């Protein structure tokens, strides 16, 4: 638990994070993503395409004694991720600048994988993440484009997965009134590893 965020629930407000021009998972979508990820103390978590680090930081708060690997290819993004982690006061994140799937090779096998960006290599990233995921592990993908959704559904056909579409609107001031402002729809795709890994794969 962080002194900055002394709550047991996720949902750090968006304006707390230093963002610049780097994409960020919005608060409400972040909460649903973390709920689907089903985090617990001691887990190893990969956050691929961590951006500003909003998901990495909240995941780190929910996995005391565990380690979150924040993987981001963008120099500005990884810098902001570090800055936000320092601001909020989490110390169980390891920051990795580089492109997946290449940088995943030397990481420990994950209990949980979150994919928010893949740099155009989603098929390869999915293949590596699913092959490395521990028994009963979970993989959660946030997709904002139809192309990403299509690729994920094709890759996960016949596997234990579910998909939800999230539509969030926020009330914002408009003169003396308030009006709804919609956020971009997001697809949250969840894959559950149910098989028992063989010794060779471990």
């Amino acid at each position: 638990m962080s002194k900055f965020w002394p709550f047991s629930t996720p949902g750090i407000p968006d304006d707390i994070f230093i963002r610049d021009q780097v994409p960020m998972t919005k608060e409400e979508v972040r909460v649903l993503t973390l709920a689907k990820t089903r985090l617990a103390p001691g887990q190893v978590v990969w956050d691929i395409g961590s951006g500003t680090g909003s998901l990495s930081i909240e995941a780190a708060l929910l996995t005391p004694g565990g380690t979150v690997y924040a993987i981001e290819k963008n120099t500005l993004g990884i810098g902001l991720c570090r800055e936000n982690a320092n601001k909020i006061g989490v110390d169980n994140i390891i920051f990795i600048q580089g492109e997946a799937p290449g940088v995943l090779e030397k990481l420990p096998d994950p209990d949980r994988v979150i994919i928010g960006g893949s740099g155009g290599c989603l098929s390869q990233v999915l293949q590596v993440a699913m092959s490395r995921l521990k028994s009963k592990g979970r993989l959660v993908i946030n997709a904002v484009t139809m192309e990403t959704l299509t690729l994920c559904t094709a890759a996960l056909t016949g596997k234990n997965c579910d998909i939800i579409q999230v539509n969030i609107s926020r009330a914002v001031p408009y003169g003396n009134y308030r009006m709804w402002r919609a956020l971009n729809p997001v697809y949250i795709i969840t894959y559950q590893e149910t098989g028992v890994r063989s010794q060779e794969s471990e």
Side-chain angles (χ1 to χ4, degrees):
M1 187 174 293
S2 160
K3 290 182 179 178
F4 190 96
W5 186 251
F7 307 106
S8 58
T9 53
I12 299 174
D14 291 342
D15 58 7
I16 297 298
F17 294 99
I18 305 162
R19 181 180 177 187
D20 204 311
Q21 299 300 312
V22 175
M24 182 179 74
T25 304
K26 299 299 190 297
E27 176 187 341
E28 297 84 358
V29 175
R30 197 184 322 129
V31 169
L32 288 169
T33 301
L34 293 165
K36 289 289 186 180
T37 307
R38 296 182 187 168
L39 298 166
Q43 289 177 338
V44 172
V45 181
W46 294 356
D47 180 16
I48 301 172
S50 58
T52 61
S54 63
L55 270 169
S56 291
I57 290 163
E58 297 233 45
L61 291 171
L62 294 168
T63 53
T67 305
V68 175
Y69 292 85
I71 301 146
E72 172 59 50
K73 70 175 184 177
N74 183 280
T75 303
L76 176 58
I78 205 72
L80 289 173
C81 194
R82 290 180 189 273
E83 197 172 349
N84 282 317
N86 289 334
K87 177 180 179 180
I88 292 168
V90 293
D91 58 8
N92 57 332
I93 301 179
I94 295 177
F95 306 95
I96 298 174
Q97 183 176 358
E99 291 195 41
V103 296
L104 306 176
E105 182 180 348
K106 296 182 179 179
L107 302 186
D109 289 348
D111 299 283
R112 302 290 186 264
V113 177
I114 303 169
I115 301 177
S118 60
C121 300
L122 183 57
S123 293
Q124 299 93 315
V125 170
L126 277 175
Q127 185 176 8
V128 171
M130 292 171 67
S131 68
R132 296 280 305 279
L133 199 62
K134 292 181 184 177
S135 178
K136 298 184 180 179
R138 288 175 73 83
L139 166 67
V140 180
I141 308 152
N142 284 349
V144 295
T145 69
M146 289 297 297
E147 288 75 15
T148 300
L149 175 64
T150 300
L151 194 156
C152 289
T153 52
L156 296 171
T157 296
K159 299 187 182 297
N160 186 22
C161 72
D162 64 66
I163 304 169
I164 63 171
Q165 185 189 51
V166 180
N167 292 280
I168 302 290
S169 294
R170 294 173 174 171
V172 297
Y174 187 79
N176 295 325
Y177 303 92
R178 287 187 294 174
M179 296 184 66
W180 292 109
R181 178 176 295 167
L183 303 180
N184 287 330
V186 178
Y187 301 95
I188 301 178
I189 305 141
T190 307
Y191 163 73
Q192 172 76 56
E193 168 58 55
T194 56
V196 177
R197 297 293 189 185
S198 67
Q199 279 189 325
E200 290 78 15
S201 66
E202 292 175 349

